[in-house]
Amino acid sequence: MDDPFDVLGLEPRYDLDDRAMHRRYIEQGAANHPDRFTDPLDQADAAERTARLNEAYRVLKSPELRAEALMARWGGSAKGDDKSLPPELLMEVMETRESMEEAKAGGNQKKLDEIARWARDQREEALRGVAELLTQAGPMPQADRPPLLARCRVSLNVLRYFDRMIDEAKG
Amino acid sequence: MAYSPKVIDHYEHPRNVGSLAKDDPAVGTGVVGAPECGDVMKLQIKVDEKTGKIVDAKFKTFGCGSAIASSSLATEWVKGKTIDQAMAIKNTEIVQELSLPPVKIHCSVLAEDAIKSAIADYQKKAAAKKTEEQAVNA
């Protein structure tokens, strides 16, 4: 994947200025619009650049994907390579999924909603941790980043487990 | 993407779904997960202390069809095996048996990890029991 910060020409940091990012996206999008070109080869190139811009913008708008992009850029481990989680989290996820299964079988939507709310809170808390760590890591020299990135990996790793619970509660 | 007939069979008729008593010293419990997709898998084994063989196995998986099928197959395979034989089960064998496509290989890895983690838990308990007995006999 192309580095989304490079594609949009933005300084790599977690706490991006949303409006500045949007402005850059619109400017770059206008400059690279395929309709501005007449030669078919130029048009094809422009279409490819536009697709890259769209993808970069999609990634940077999402806090989770933006964090993953910074992890990749700063040499943090990838999701598939480091599955570290907070201790006991898997057991807790397993037990929660079991109670959800029970609640579902018993038609207990109230319980499911309650669990979904809890899962959303947990997810937000994890993302707050990610934001804090990456904002802190940003101005550091590369050599000092690894311990923060390792902790960030743990916080990013929990997200999908809570997403699944939120999906499951919807039925 | 189409699931292979064997995956569908395990998904529709999962073998050995359920739980064994977690606190039973003869039971080893492994819980593993995949952060990419949020799947969680619990696999438990019950070991006969005298023969060292796995006499029962149960699983519970919250995940896709391939993850369910992989863990269902894993419980079938470990039953009747010794700890060492169960330890030797490779995810590639699960891939082959279930004809899993490349994007689902991680499901078989999860099942292999679950077996190993259940065995590790059992061995930890067995070692603790042994130390306790030695302390009593001393």
Side-chain angles (χ1 to χ4, degrees):
Chain A
M1 194 185 72
D2 297 314
D3 182 281
F5 295 97
D6 288 348
V7 172
L8 280 166
L10 291 165
E11 187 202 347
R13 57 189 295 164
Y14 184 83
D15 51 342
L16 281 175
D17 175 348
D18 279 347
R19 292 178 62 184
M21 170 171 69
H22 184 74
R23 207 175 320 123
R24 181 62 62 91
Y25 170 62
I26 298 291
E27 283 165 12
Q28 298 262 342
N32 289 289
H33 199 287
D35 286 356
R36 293 173 62 99
F37 303 88
T38 45
D39 181 85
L41 285 177
D42 290 344
Q43 275 187 341
D45 284 349
E48 209 185 298
R49 284 198 298 276
T50 302
R52 273 211 298 274
L53 283 169
N54 290 342
E55 175 60 12
Y57 185 60
R58 184 185 74 86
V59 168
L60 293 189
K61 258 199 318 188
S62 149
E64 182 186 348
L65 298 180
R66 185 164 74 239
E68 292 286 1
L70 283 171
M71 288 284 283
R73 188 175 177 119
W74 291 340
S77 56
K79 214 173 223 176
D81 300 332
D82 177 359
K83 298 183 173 191
S84 306
L85 287 170
E88 303 301 318
L89 184 106
L90 271 181
M91 207 46 116
E92 193 178 11
V93 169
M94 193 74 216
E95 281 163 9
T96 309
R97 293 298 297 267
E98 281 174 340
S99 8
M100 291 186 82
E101 193 180 51
E102 248 171 64
K104 227 172 198 181
N108 189 348
Q109 189 59 41
K110 208 177 129 223
K111 172 94 183 165
L112 288 172
D113 292 344
E114 202 178 286
I115 294 174
R117 254 197 313 278
W118 172 81
R120 251 180 240 115
D121 287 348
Q122 296 287 312
R123 190 183 201 285
E124 266 169 41
E125 198 186 308
L127 268 181
R128 267 197 301 275
V130 167
E132 214 169 281
L133 289 164
L134 290 179
T135 306
Q136 218 180 321
M140 284 183 173
Q142 178 59 26
D144 293 344
R145 285 180 182 144
L148 292 183
L149 299 185
R151 283 167 60 198
C152 185
R153 175 80 277 146
V154 172
S155 292
L156 283 167
N157 278 353
V158 308
L159 299 176
R160 203 62 69 243
Y161 293 104
F162 294 118
D163 287 341
R164 281 290 95 80
M165 287 178 199
I166 296 164
D167 290 347
E168 192 60 29
K170 283 182 202 138
Chain B
M1 186 202 63
Y3 281 126
S4 74
K6 275 185 184 159
V7 170
I8 293 170
D9 182 39
H10 275 279
Y11 180 72
E12 288 180 347
H13 313 283
R15 305 356 170 217
N16 312 309
V17 173
S19 294
L20 298 170
K22 215 173 79 185
D23 300 326
D24 182 341
V27 170
T29 302
V31 180
V32 295
E36 300 95 327
C37 53
D39 287 1
V40 269
M41 188 180 280
K42 178 174 80 179
L43 193 143
Q44 294 180 297
I45 53 168
K46 186 171 184 148
V47 181
D48 181 328
E49 209 187 338
K50 290 193 193 76
T51 62
K53 277 191 176 163
I54 297 170
V55 288
D56 200 5
K58 297 272 184 212
F59 85 96
K60 193 101 203 226
T61 292
F62 296 99
C64 67
S66 302
I68 292 171
S70 296
S71 38
S72 171
L73 179 68
T75 55
E76 268 194 332
W77 277 359
V78 296
K79 270 201 211 181
K81 285 198 166 69
T82 63
I83 296 274
D84 288 344
Q85 287 166 338
M87 243 355 227
I89 294 173
K90 291 270 171 301
N91 85 289
T92 46
E93 299 168 77
I94 297 172
V95 169
Q96 200 171 18
E97 173 69 17
L98 297 174
S99 319
L100 294 180
V103 293
K104 292 293 180 183
I105 286 175
H106 71 276
C107 300
S108 68
V109 173
L110 211 53
E112 183 189 320
D113 289 349
I115 297 174
K116 294 203 158 66
S117 155
I119 291 173
D121 183 54
Y122 168 75
Q123 286 174 331
K124 206 173 86 191
K125 277 184 180 174
K129 200 178 151 200
K130 217 172 161 187
T131 331
E132 213 172 278
E133 280 167 3
Q134 278 167 352
V136 170
N137 293 335

